[in-house]
Amino acid sequence: TSGLVASPSPATAGGLVTWTLSGSNVGPNPAANQTFVATLPSTLAYQASGSGGNGWSCAASGQTVTCTRASSLALGPMPTLAIVTRITGTTGGSVSLNGMLGSSTADPDPSNNGANGTVSVTSNADVAIALDAPAPNPAAGGTNVTFTMRPRNDGPDAADNGVAVTLPLPTDFTVSSVTAPAGFSCMSSGSPVVVSCARSTAVATGSMGTITVIAGTPAVATTRTPTVTATIAINPCPTSDANLANNQASRTVTVMPEG
């Protein structure tokens, strides 16, 4: 008997999927020279690195993957086998892997030797954000300073359900105005104020334009140098963001006493 489980699940378009085969020998005799043969669909590409393990060795010929284990298998669980693949040619839906477990020992019931697994696939969009230097900087207390955010989608896929951009302002800053590209809706709330701009429709690869926040600085008795951090997040389903390292950008703004 055998079973096939995919990890991670769901998987990301263009990413790796490890299929783990588990099985057992239910007898009546030990099983010599176990084999597992699977034909990959066109949406999966075999990866030698990481495949095999626990006495198994694997090789691919075209889309057919053959794995062998020479050690005799006594009655009971079989050492697991890993087959690593990369998802290609699809950005959604699901992919399946089917294969057949065998042995050089005669099997009285081959009907339970098949193994199959399915994993859903999410598209992959690497959204990122840049934050221009505040203008002016330094700024006098009681005047306005402009923060310009530049969200983008580095791909390879569209962000199907849109994105959310936030800019928490430093304590005592106020919002004078917010302008954003078509498709974004913006609001400000809270104390300290947080500017939030959301887009619920698909975002293609490339620049999303600029989001500009004009903020009022507080009157200060001594110089302050708060840090402002812009953040972008993907609305995940059915798209995921595998690279979170570029989802934030920070700048320091200097607010000086007036006069």
Side-chain angles (χ1 to χ4, degrees), residues 157-188:
D157 304 316
D160 292 329
N161 282 348
V163 296
V165 175
T166 56
L167 183 74
L169 296 179
T171 300
D172 298 327
F173 276 54
T174 59
V175 174
S176 297
S177 67
V178 180
T179 58
F184 279 90
S185 60
C186 299
M187 61 176 294
S188 58

Side-chain angles (χ1 to χ4, degrees), residues 23-34:
S24 62
N25 179 10
V26 296
N29 300 309
N33 303 312
Q34 302 102 65

Side-chain angles (χ1 to χ4, degrees), residues 35-210:
T35 61
F36 182 71
V37 180
T39 299
L40 304 183
S42 60
T43 49
L44 291 177
Y46 174 69
Q47 308 292 302
S49 178
S51 293
N54 295 321
W56 289 93
S57 60
C58 299
S61 176
Q63 289 296 98
T64 300
V65 178
T66 302
C67 300
T68 59
R69 183 177 180 272
S71 300
S72 179
L73 177 62
L75 273 66
M78 177 187 75
T80 57
L81 160 67
I83 297 177
V84 182
T85 60
R86 185 176 297 280
I87 297 175
T88 62
T90 184
T91 60
S94 62
V95 294
S96 298
L97 181 63
N98 304 295
M100 187 66 67
L101 184 64
S103 165
S104 61
T105 303
D107 189 337
D109 181 17
S111 65
N112 57 7
N113 289 8
N116 58 81
T118 299
V119 64
S120 58
V121 179
T122 61
S123 52
N124 180 23
D126 179 15
V127 297
I129 196 165
L131 179 61
D132 290 1
N137 192 25
T143 63
N144 286 339
V145 62
T146 300
F147 301 101
T148 301
M149 297 177 283
R150 301 184 185 275
R152 67 183 189 275
N153 177 10
D154 289 340
D157 304 316
D160 292 329
N161 282 348
V163 296
V165 175
T166 56
L167 183 74
L169 296 179
T171 300
D172 298 327
F173 276 54
T174 59
V175 174
S176 297
S177 67
V178 180
T179 58
F184 279 90
S185 60
C186 299
M187 61 176 294
S188 58
S189 62
S191 179
V193 176
V194 177
V195 177
S196 303
C197 295
R199 175 171 167 170
S200 59
T201 56
V203 179
T205 56
S207 172
M208 302 179 204
T210 59

Side-chain angles (χ1 to χ4, degrees), residues 218-248:
V220 295
T222 59
T223 299
R224 291 168 50 182
T225 55
T227 297
V228 178
T229 300
T231 301
I232 188 170
I234 203 167
N235 296 330
C237 186
T239 311
S240 62
D241 186 349
N243 177 23
L244 301 180
N246 54 8
N247 286 31
Q248 289 191 326

